[in-house]
Amino acid sequence: MLCRLGGRWLRPLPALQLRARDPAFAPVPTSGAKRPTLSVWAVAPVCAVHANGWYEALAASSPVRVAEEVLLGVQATTGLPWWGSILLSTVALRGAVTLPLAAYQHYILAKVENLQPEIKAIARHLNQEVVVRANQLGWSERVARLTYLKNMKRIISELYVRDNCHPFKATVLVWIQLPMWIFMSFALRNLSTGAAHSEAGFSVQEQLATGGILWFPDLTAPDSTWILPISVGVINLLIVEISALQKIGISRLQTYVTYFVRAMSVLMIPVAATVPSSIVLYWLCSSFMGLSQNLLLRSPGFRQLCRIPSTKSDSETPYKDIFAAFNTKFISRK
């Protein structure tokens, strides 16, 4: 019997020849021997290697090594105890890197907000033109809608280019801040466990074991009191709630995102209770800087200093408004 393969007629090999050439077709003994099987314990290490491979690769990556050198350099230069070096490094990085990016984010978002009245006026005018053209040419409702959306998208893109304020530019902060947070966390993990890629790795671990303060003297051990983990969760929730209080008429997607971030802030508490205190101290300081940065960028004076355009939603008394909204939502609510 012939079979067609790739435009050619081929004669398949007999079953006996296949069994002879391929060990997979070898006959299985039916008596006196058991069928060979792959033990579960033999598969488990392979799965574990694949599961942990990306984690170890990230921990040994070049950015993490750079973060380790930054931490070691700050500690060696200042001579501060390790808890002080971690705080100073965090404040310096957040102030030098994320604060300017956050100001730029607010600058872009302010320009986008100021474009909304013009976009709405253009949308009304374009809708009228499409209706007239649809009546003249006999367009269906679907064709008219697609024509409107296509032209509206093009016009909005041209406006973003004109004012140099494409909303994607406002996401630069996330693409810089999140990797930096991850790399610093892995660097502290390596230093705290003696896995740092440095000649002084184990001596640093010993220093961290006595480099804490107050109720967490050992920075290589988790905080058994849960004070640091709970503080991280509370500050992260404050950041989320302050951001949510300032938004009016948010979309359903934004509401879901807010709930997701709230859940992640709560889940961070038990996670933070299982990692070395050095990492949680960094998370706490980073979150506190994020909260301070969030409040600072609502100051009219600081916004003017950063040349952030004024918008209709700006307030002359932002902190009073935040307190009033917080009081109405969480305290005075019956």
Side-chain angles (χ1 to χ4, degrees):
M1 179 179 179
L2 299 179
C3 63
R4 188 177 180 85
L5 179 63
R8 299 176 59 187
W9 292 97
L10 302 176
R11 183 183 300 277
L13 291 174
L16 291 177
Q17 295 183 27
L18 283 175
R19 294 192 182 96
R21 297 188 181 187
D22 192 343
F25 288 92
V28 179
T30 57
S31 61
K34 294 183 179 180
R35 178 177 296 182
T37 58
L38 188 60
S39 303
V40 174
W41 62 264
V43 180
V46 177
C47 299
V49 168
H50 285 290
N52 295 329
W54 68 269
Y55 184 89
E56 296 300 332
L58 180 59
S61 63
S62 297
V64 173
R65 295 188 182 186
V66 171
E68 292 174 6
E69 295 301 326
V70 169
L71 290 167
L72 292 171
V74 170
Q75 203 279 333
T77 302
T78 62
L80 293 171
W82 267 104
W83 67 267
S85 298
I86 293 172
L87 295 182
L88 180 60
S89 301
T90 308
V91 172
L93 287 174
R94 294 283 296 195
V97 179
T98 62
L99 181 58
L101 290 176
Y104 179 71
Q105 180 188 56
H106 280 251
Y107 173 81
I108 295 296
L109 294 177
K111 297 185 75 172
V112 171
E113 182 179 343
N114 289 335
L115 272 178
Q116 297 311 306
E118 183 177 357
I119 291 175
K120 290 179 180 178
I122 292 174
R124 287 193 299 268
H125 180 70
L126 179 62
N127 185 58
Q128 294 173 0
E129 288 187 353
V130 170
V131 170
V132 172
R133 186 60 61 88
N135 292 332
Q136 291 175 349
L137 302 178
W139 291 348
S140 64
E141 182 180 349
R142 179 176 178 275
V143 172
R145 180 170 56 84
L146 292 177
T147 302
Y148 168 80
L149 293 176
K150 179 180 179 181
N151 284 276
M152 198 64 213
K153 183 178 180 181
R154 175 182 57 81
I155 293 172
I156 292 176
S157 297
E158 291 175 354
L159 290 175
Y160 287 155
V161 172
R162 185 196 70 185
D163 289 4
N164 192 22
C165 62
H166 196 285
F168 183 77
K169 293 183 178 181
T171 65
V172 173
L173 174 63
V174 177
W175 301 117
I176 299 297
Q177 179 174 312
L178 183 59
M180 184 175 72
W181 184 86
I182 293 174
F183 297 149
M184 289 292 291
S185 299
F186 270 89
L188 286 168
R189 170 258 188 193
N190 290 344
L191 293 173
S192 300
T193 59
H197 296 80
S198 170
E199 296 179 357
F202 288 99
S203 61
V204 171
Q205 183 184 16
E206 295 172 359
Q207 294 173 15
L208 283 167
T210 57
I213 192 175
L214 300 177
W215 67 90
F216 54 99
D218 185 358
L219 291 176
T220 64
D223 181 12
S224 59
T225 66
W226 283 57
I227 295 177
L228 289 178
I230 292 176
S231 300
V232 171
V234 169
I235 292 180
N236 287 335
L237 283 174
L238 276 176
I239 295 174
V240 175
E241 296 306 326
I242 289 176
S243 299
L245 289 173
Q246 299 297 307
K247 296 178 181 179
I248 301 176
I250 61 176
S251 64
R252 181 177 299 180
L253 176 61
Q254 290 174 320
T255 302
Y256 291 154
V257 171
T258 300
Y259 281 120
F260 174 76
V261 178
R262 284 172 180 161
M264 291 301 297
S265 299
V266 175
L267 289 176
M268 280 291 292
I269 296 176
V271 172
T274 62
V275 299
S277 298
S278 59
I279 301 177
V280 189
L281 180 62
Y282 166 69
W283 291 353
L284 178 61
C285 185
S286 180
S287 297
F288 182 80
M289 287 295 296
L291 177 62
S292 303
Q293 176 179 289
N294 195 331
L295 295 174
L296 180 62
L297 284 168
R298 301 186 186 280
S299 167
F302 188 77
R303 291 176 69 88
Q304 186 177 3
L305 179 64
C306 296
R307 298 182 179 181
I308 299 174
S310 59
T311 64
K312 187 178 180 180
S313 62
D314 286 348
S315 172
E316 294 295 328
T317 58
Y319 306 122
K320 183 178 179 180
D321 296 342
I322 290 174
F323 179 78
F326 189 87
N327 182 67
T328 301
K329 184 175 182 180
F330 298 104
I331 300 177
S332 300
R333 184 176 59 182
K334 295 182 180 180

